[in-house]
């Protein structure tokens, strides 16, 4: 569903890019914050099985509401394709997203932990395989959705045929219902661990009391205790204290982990933007910049089986201790290497990009729309312009300048700072003058090609390309830009009476100004049109992104899959879901780090930001490696069993006391029998009764 969510915000709800992006990231953050709630509910009240069922229903209802919110016909009374009551659709969308965030977040920690519950303590290898298959399934779904959901959106539906967002949201809703039914059908086969009361409240109170009690006994006259949590022994049983120690031990290890996700999640932002400045022509296949993200799930589907079946067994045969924390350290290092690779690619891209003006500079290009050649002087620059041609490149100016268009024709020019402009020189009576038009100051979005027309023809012209229509272009005026995809673009030009076509082969990320001269000739093809390249097409191939995707995916496989298993294996029996939620919380914190670093770091060069992130992760990796070195792996079940033996419940205590008493009485009777063998049995019974 997320694959088309931003497009839904932008094109259906008509939100601008910034607001759509803000709401999108807020939604994603909620999806990774709500696992804490789901974990508490599962471990404290409902249990994992019931929590998954109930919150999956909430999840599916949210998806259905999203699908309904995307049906424009509900409020489109005049059937123009635009909802008449946009507030209604926005309100439904927000309700749907909140329910989805609650549902998906609530089940995230429970599903992984519930799967782990199906294995006995001696089935560590099988449980490890399960977590790998679990992660494999997630990424198989990710790959399918990235491919299928945009296809569903592209279908036309409704009274007014337009992109079918109800289908794009409705199909995931239907599949979620099917998945829930399949899950419920298997109920009889599952091992279900019962919840153990409001464990989170008890844990928080236990920690609070330990801190409070330690503070009260901070004087040196009180003997020290082995662990600061031991100060809770006056009020809480040793089993709970031991369980809290286990959780705190793992949570302390989690502190550096968000930095990995800070790098990993930039695949959908920085790396996608990087791809927009590259060439995606793979011969028989053309890859769009946002489609490069599919490389990650594809590589995961390949690498997970390779790691489990070949790499890990090979390392084990070499007698190397490749423990879970060592795997995670290697994963973080691989992610740092991926960003070094991204920086190297960015340096090569920067060498091919045009030099755009800084905030205090401006740039200008000149087009001669006169029938004769023209010699001009812009500031200190002398230019020779041919008829209906543009200057070779943009000139950079730090301030306003004088434009000389001929003997005695001087005009002051003040360009807007930080922008590019085109000055079109036209005839105004006897003397030439200029008209200023704003140009692009960045590469076109999503690797598209920005095309515009300059009309020097004596009549108003209408220009179309595909389903797009340039506004009517009056004489000596410039049209707005229209983004056109890679390939052979065919433009239809009409003056209301005659028509012709003009073809232009486009790559990725270019910008052209197409000059229509007064001598335009109509026919099957338009004659006389000149194409002027303002921004050259991307030349660095997208294949150069594959090494960095490979490195970060390999890092993800050894880091994330191992982290899921580690979180489960080191958690006490009553807090499996809570620790899974803590693991997922590191993802949310990682996204927040990206926002903070991106805002705080005032780096003009993108490659420098990549190196900054890589350096930060290497630093964090070293810290984590030190933590891992001093970490002692535990068996929560064995530890809990020790305390269970030490602290039998009241029923067992009473039974034990009765047995001791009985043995004592019997021993005493044997002694009495030996010393008083002549006494009657009735006397013995009387004495025994007294005893």
């Amino acid at each position: 569903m997320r694959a088309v969510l931003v497009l839904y915000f932008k094109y259906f709800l008509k939100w601008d890019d910034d607001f759509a992006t803000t709401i999108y990231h807020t939604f994603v953050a909620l999806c990774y914050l709500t696992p804490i709630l789901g974990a508490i509910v599962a471990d404290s009240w409902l249990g994992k099985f019931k929590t998954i069922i109930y919150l999956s229903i909430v999840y599916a209802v949210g998806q259905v509401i999203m699908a309904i919110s995307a049906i424009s016909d509900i409020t489109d009374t005049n059937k123009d394709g635009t909802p008449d009551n946009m507030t209604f659709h926005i309100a439904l969308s927000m309700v749907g997203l909140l329910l989805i965030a609650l549902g998906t977040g609530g089940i995230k920690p429970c599903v992984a932990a519930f799967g782990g519950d199906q294995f006995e303590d001696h089935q560590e290898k099988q449980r490890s395989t399960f977590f790998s298959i679990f992660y494999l399934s997630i990424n198989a779904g990710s790959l399918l959705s990235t491919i299928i959901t945009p296809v569903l959106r592209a279908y036309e539906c409704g009274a007014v045929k337009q992109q079918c967002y109800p289908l794009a949201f409705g199909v995931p809703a239907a599949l979620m219902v099917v998945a829930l039914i399949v899950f419920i059908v298997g109920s009889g086969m599952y091992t279900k661990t019962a919840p153990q009361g409001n464990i989170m409240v008890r844990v928080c109170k236990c920690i609070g009391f330990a801190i409070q009690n330690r503070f009260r006994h901070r004087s040196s006259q009180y003997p020290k205790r082995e662990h600061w949590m031991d100060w809770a022994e006056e009020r809480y049983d040793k089993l709970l204290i031991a369980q809290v120690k286990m959780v705190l031990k793992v949570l302390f290890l989690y502190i550096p982990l968000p930095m990995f996700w800070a790098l990993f999640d930039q695949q959908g932002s920085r790396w996608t933007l990087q791809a927009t400045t590259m060439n995606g022509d793979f011969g028989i296949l053309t890859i769009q910049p946002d489609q490069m993200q599919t490389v990650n799930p594809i590589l995961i589907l390949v690498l997970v089986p390779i790691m489990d079946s070949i790499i890990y067994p090979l390392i084990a045969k070499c007698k190397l201790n490749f423990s879970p924390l060592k795997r995670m350290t290697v994963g973080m290092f691989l992610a740092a290497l991926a960003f070094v690779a991204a920086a190297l690619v960015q340096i090569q891209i920067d060498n091919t990009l045009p030099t755009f003006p800084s905030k205090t500079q401006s740039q200008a290009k000149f087009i001669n729309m006169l029938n004769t050649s023209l010699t001009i002087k812009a500031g200190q620059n002398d230019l020779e312009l041919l008829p209906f041609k543009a200057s070779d490149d943009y000139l950079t100016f730090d301030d306003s300048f004088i434009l000389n268009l001929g003997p005695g024709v001087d005009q002051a020019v003040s360009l807007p700072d930080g922008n590019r402009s085109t000055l079109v020189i036209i005839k105004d009576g006897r003397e030439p003058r200029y008209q200023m038009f704003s140009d692009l100051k960045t590469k076109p979005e999503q690797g598209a090609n920005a095309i515009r027309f300059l009309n020097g023809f004596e009549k108003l012209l209408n220009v179309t390309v595909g389903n797009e229509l340039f506004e009517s272009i009056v004489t000596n005026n410039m049209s707005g830009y229209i983004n056109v995809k890679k390939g052979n673009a065919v433009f239809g030009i009409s003056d209301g009476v005659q028509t012709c076509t003009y073809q232009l082969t486009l790559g990725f990320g270019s910008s052209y100004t197409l000059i229509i001269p007064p001598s335009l000739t109509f026919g099957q093809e338009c004659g006389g049109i000149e194409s002027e390249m303002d921004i050259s097409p991307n030349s660095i191939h997208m294949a150069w992104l594959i090494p960095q995707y490979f490195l970060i995916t390999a890092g993800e496989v050894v880091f994330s899959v191992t982290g899921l298993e580690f979180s489960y294996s080191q958690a006490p029996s009553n807090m499996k879901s809570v620790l899974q939620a803590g693991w997922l919380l590191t993802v949310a914190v990682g996204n927040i780090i990206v926002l903070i670093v991106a805002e705080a770091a005032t780096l003009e060069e993108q490659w420098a930001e990549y190196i900054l992130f890589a350096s930060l992760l290497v630093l964090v990796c070293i810290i984590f490696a030190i933590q891992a070195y001093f970490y002692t792996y535990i068996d929560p079940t064995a530890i809990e069993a020790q305390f269970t033996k030490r602290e039998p419940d009241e029923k067992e205590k009473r039974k034990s006391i009765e047995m001791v008493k009985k043995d004592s009485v019997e021993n005493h009777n044997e002694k009495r029998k030996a010393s008083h063998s002549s006494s009657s049995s009735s006397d013995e019974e009387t004495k025994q009764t007294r005893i």
Side-chain angles (χ1 to χ4, degrees), residues 472-535:
S472 299
I473 314 169
V474 299
T475 304
N476 289 332
N477 208 347
M478 190 89 73
S479 73
Y481 285 103
I482 282 186
N483 287 337
V484 182
K485 290 184 178 181
K486 175 192 178 296
N488 188 39
V490 180
F491 301 91
I493 301 175
S494 172
D495 66 353
V497 178
Q498 306 173 87
T499 60
C500 62
T501 59
Y502 177 76
Q503 298 186 36
L504 183 65
T505 302
L506 300 172
F508 284 91
S510 65
S511 176
Y512 285 88
T513 298
L514 303 180
I515 302 172
I516 302 175
S519 58
L520 172 68
T521 57
F522 289 90
Q524 186 174 357
E525 295 184 358
C526 305
I529 296 179
E530 296 286 346
S531 64
E532 292 291 342
M533 183 186 295
D534 299 328
I535 298 175

Side-chain angles (χ1 to χ4, degrees), residues 591-623:
N591 280 279
I592 295 170
I593 290 174
V594 174
L595 297 174
I596 294 172
V597 173
E599 291 295 327
T602 55
L603 300 173
E604 293 185 2
E605 301 293 342
Q606 184 57 57
W607 66 265
E609 186 177 294
Y610 288 147
I611 294 296
L612 173 63
F613 274 107
S615 303
L616 289 173
L617 185 56
V618 168
L619 176 62
V620 167
C621 185
I622 294 170
I623 294 171

Side-chain angles (χ1 to χ4, degrees), residues 253 306 376 437 462 536 552 570 581 624 651-653 669:
L253 269 180
I306 290 176
I376 66 171
F437 299 96
N462 290 306
S536 59
I552 203 160
Q570 299 296 290
F624 182 76
K651 186 176 179 180
E652 289 178 340
K653 283 181 180 178
N669 286 345

Side-chain angles (χ1 to χ4, degrees), residues 32-340:
Y32 283 96
L33 291 172
T34 50
I36 294 293
L37 296 176
I40 293 172
V41 171
D43 283 344
S44 301
W45 292 297
L46 295 178
K48 301 180 191 73
F49 179 74
K50 289 183 179 179
T51 302
I52 292 170
I53 290 176
Y54 295 156
L55 289 181
S56 291
I57 293 171
V58 173
Y59 194 166
V61 169
Q63 287 279 20
V64 171
I65 290 174
M66 277 300 294
I68 295 172
S69 74
I71 302 174
S72 60
D73 293 346
I74 295 175
T75 62
D76 185 15
T77 53
N78 58 1
K79 305 301 179 186
D80 64 349
T82 303
D84 297 328
N85 186 358
M86 191 62 78
T87 304
F88 171 80
H89 293 274
I90 292 173
L92 268 186
S93 299
M94 294 303 100
V95 171
L97 289 177
L98 284 173
L99 291 176
I100 291 170
L102 178 62
T104 186
I107 69 173
K108 276 181 188 296
C110 301
V111 174
F114 186 69
D117 287 347
Q118 309 310 305
F119 300 91
E120 301 293 336
D121 293 336
H122 64 278
Q123 296 177 309
E124 290 183 10
K125 184 178 180 182
Q126 289 85 349
R127 187 174 63 206
S128 175
T129 303
F130 160 75
F131 280 112
S132 294
I133 295 172
F134 174 69
Y135 206 76
L136 202 70
S137 302
I138 292 172
N139 284 277
S142 173
L143 175 61
L144 289 172
S145 68
T146 307
I147 296 170
I148 295 172
T149 310
V151 173
L152 296 175
R153 173 185 59 83
Y155 279 107
E156 293 184 345
C157 61
V160 178
K161 298 298 182 183
Q162 53 187 351
Q163 291 188 335
C164 200
Y165 289 103
L167 187 62
F169 294 144
V171 170
L175 293 176
M176 187 64 200
V177 172
V178 172
L180 178 57
I181 293 171
V182 172
F183 179 71
I184 294 172
V185 166
S187 174
M189 296 184 286
Y190 304 143
T191 299
K192 300 169 187 173
T193 305
Q196 300 182 24
N198 197 348
I199 187 65
M200 278 304 296
V201 173
R202 290 181 62 208
V203 167
C204 293
K205 285 183 177 180
C206 183
I207 294 172
F209 179 76
I211 295 171
Q212 183 183 14
N213 199 29
R214 176 68 184 90
F215 183 76
R216 277 203 303 260
H217 299 83
R218 62 187 181 277
S219 174
S220 58
Q221 66 183 18
Y222 297 103
K224 292 183 178 181
R225 300 187 183 182
E226 185 178 351
H227 192 281
W228 64 271
M229 275 303 302
D230 292 333
W231 289 95
E233 288 179 351
E234 283 81 351
R235 184 175 296 179
Y236 295 92
D237 61 80
K238 291 185 177 181
L239 175 59
L240 178 64
I241 293 171
Q243 290 171 331
V244 173
K245 287 179 183 178
M246 292 182 226
V247 171
L248 292 177
K249 193 177 180 182
V250 177
L251 289 178
F252 178 71
L253 269 180
Y254 282 175
I255 293 174
L257 302 188
M259 199 64 217
F260 173 86
W261 298 113
L263 274 70
F264 178 81
D265 285 339
Q266 290 189 54
Q267 290 179 81
S269 54
R270 297 293 190 194
W271 285 15
T272 300
L273 293 174
Q274 186 181 41
T276 64
T277 59
M278 303 181 76
N279 179 8
D281 186 2
F282 283 80
I284 59 173
L285 187 66
T286 298
I287 300 295
Q288 298 300 324
D290 54 345
Q291 291 177 322
M292 275 303 292
Q293 295 179 60
T294 60
V295 172
N296 174 254
I298 289 171
L299 286 174
I300 283 179
L301 295 178
V302 174
L303 289 177
V304 167
I306 290 176
M307 289 289 183
D308 280 352
S309 304
I310 300 174
I311 304 299
Y312 293 155
L314 193 62
I315 292 174
K317 281 194 173 183
C318 294
K319 306 296 183 183
L320 296 174
N321 181 23
F322 199 37
S323 63
L325 293 181
K326 288 180 180 177
R327 293 183 195 178
M328 293 170 69
T329 306
V330 170
M332 296 169 80
F333 185 71
L334 289 173
L337 285 180
F339 266 65
V340 173

Side-chain angles (χ1 to χ4, degrees), residues 671-681 684:
K671 291 178 182 179
R672 296 279 294 180
K673 285 178 182 179
S675 59
H676 302 285
S677 56
S678 60
S679 299
S680 64
S681 60
E684 287 180 10

